[in-house]
Amino acid sequence: MMITKLKRAALMCRVSSDEQVKGYSLDIQDEALRKYCERYGIEIVYTFREDHSAKDFKRPEFTKFLNFLSKNKGKVDCLLFTSWDRFSRNVTDSLIMLRRLESYGITSQAIEQPIDMSIPENKAMLAIFLTLPEIDNDRRSIKIRGGVRAALKAGRWSRIAPVGYINSRDANNKPLITPSIKTAPLVKKAFEYVLYGTPQVEIISTLRMKGLNTNKSTLSSLLRNPIYMGKIAVPAEGEELFTLVNGVHEAIVSEDLYYKVQDLLKSKQRNLNKAFFTTKREELPLRGNLLCARCGEHVTGSASKSKTGKRHFYYHCNHCHSIRVPSEKANTHVKDILKLLKFEGSFDELYSALCDKRLKNLKPIEKNQTVKKERIDELKSRLINTQDMLADNKISYEVYIEMRNRYASELEQLESETKELDTISKETKERIKQCHSILSNLDNLYDKANLEGKQKIVSSIFPEKIIFGEKKSRTPRLNQAVLLSLNNGKASTKRKTEQLSEIFELSGLVESEGIEPSSKQGINKPSTYLVNF
């Protein structure tokens, strides 16, 4: 269909802010379109002007035009514009919109780049006309991003100034941000409030009262923005990594204040990510170390009040509701297990032997310490001798300084090394002694420990938690040190086996296949079933 056959048209004039300077003003486009319609006798039904980017069709005036078409079908034959880049700068969206307008019976035409769409080959020309503006947009975008990045690397903020700053220009007419007399002091106050431990809600409320409109999100971004300490963040791009450069603008807060606030914010974030119980009860030390034998979910605990008003605590599963066991009964059985885990007899001898071996490993260190200390005494003596030689005029002052610096440097390094190694040796011996005491009195330690200590002891003995049931509970794996203590020495094994039979269900000394994996080493170990909860 040729454009001269069309009789009723809608005129579209569009510019973006920077295009008006290049001679694409709305008045010029409007005049050209009206003269064209007058020349070919086309009635103008609808006219709209836009000062909006053509990256998509989410443009207010174009949306109004589409609404007009839906309510006035058949009143418009064509949509006229001066060139295809006035229609759109996005190929995909353009083709979709052209198809939509065709469904309304409307032909779209550029009067400076007319295309007869009745000829199929002209669609190739249409594709070129639509693609060139998009290429131009993409190229311009690359140049703008490059310019912005170059400005950031130079320490200049060329965008809209962040809160606390205003946009200005320096003596060379280059972009510069300067602290706002009104809001910069409030930004500094925000950092100081955080450092003083003021709650976030109170900070926001105070800032709003003083004229700085902010909320939780904007305050969080503000406190993490390095621009306020005089730095510019250059984001990573391609092979270039994220960097901080010194800005040419004036800082609002000191670097010391900024980094102290960052440490506080990180600390709070770590605390938010920690798992915790809503309520910790001394009566429920096993909570957090129990899994339901039926559904596999965590078993929790709570108190129940009897008719007499007394509170009774129970471990129970809130998922499948199949388990409910008095806490005293479960806690007592765990204590009974710990009483039998005293590391004594042959295991105590084995542990002592291992400790002795570990201490022997320290002997080369101690021997080396002796050599170093002898060298330290020698260097101190030489320093004294050089002083005497200088006093007797046997060496010049320059030679004395050279010798003193050499001896003093070596002396300082050796003293530092010997001090560090002495500390390591002492700490290792004390730690071994402490561990031996703990392993020999595990049940007493559990009784005296606070709630957190009891939970740590239980979790260390049952590293994969206790799978908890009404009549029987088990654990996939016991701590290897516990297994060794129970199996080391015939007399100890026999005595403990008899005692553990009241608490453990012993299916021989090794688990049968199909219940637990068979032992590759073939060592004897008790069943990991706990019974009679």
Side-chain angles (χ1 to χ4, degrees), residues 122-140:
N122 283 350
K123 290 182 180 180
M125 186 59 67
L126 173 64
I128 293 174
F129 285 146
L130 293 174
T131 304
L132 289 176
E134 183 171 343
I135 293 173
D136 179 61
N137 250 21
D138 293 344
R139 179 54 58 189
R140 189 183 307 175

Side-chain angles (χ1 to χ4, degrees), residues 141-159 232-235 237:
S141 177
I142 292 172
K143 289 181 179 179
I144 292 173
R145 288 200 305 271
V148 170
R149 188 172 183 81
L152 293 176
K153 286 183 176 181
R156 291 188 180 276
W157 186 263
S158 56
R159 306 169 188 172
I232 296 287
V234 183
E237 184 174 309

Side-chain angles (χ1 to χ4, degrees), residues 380-436:
K380 288 180 178 179
S381 177
R382 289 194 175 190
L383 282 172
I384 295 172
N385 290 337
T386 54
Q387 293 173 354
D388 294 339
M389 292 170 69
L390 177 66
D392 296 337
N393 292 323
K394 293 181 179 180
I395 57 174
S396 65
Y397 182 75
E398 289 76 10
V399 173
Y400 165 72
I401 292 297
E402 181 183 352
M403 294 174 67
R404 187 196 67 180
N405 291 342
R406 178 158 52 87
Y407 293 151
S409 176
E410 185 180 355
L411 178 63
E412 182 180 359
Q413 182 178 353
L414 286 173
E415 286 180 336
S416 175
E417 290 176 359
T418 53
K419 183 178 180 180
E420 182 179 355
L421 291 173
D422 281 340
T423 302
I424 293 173
S425 178
K426 184 179 179 181
E427 288 180 352
T428 302
K429 291 177 180 179
E430 289 179 353
R431 192 176 295 116
I432 289 174
K433 184 178 179 181
Q434 182 182 14
C435 290
H436 185 273

Side-chain angles (χ1 to χ4, degrees), residues 177-226:
I177 54 174
T178 55
S180 167
I181 298 175
K182 183 179 179 181
T183 58
L186 297 179
V187 170
K188 186 176 182 180
K189 282 288 184 184
F191 280 87
E192 292 173 347
Y193 287 147
V194 174
L195 192 63
Y196 298 152
T198 308
Q200 189 180 58
V201 175
E202 188 176 332
I203 294 175
I204 294 172
S205 176
T206 304
L207 293 177
R208 285 179 176 176
M209 289 175 61
K210 292 184 177 182
L212 185 62
N213 189 19
T214 185
N215 54 39
K216 185 177 179 180
S217 176
T218 56
L219 178 63
S220 178
S221 299
L222 182 150
L223 294 172
R224 289 176 169 82
N225 194 340

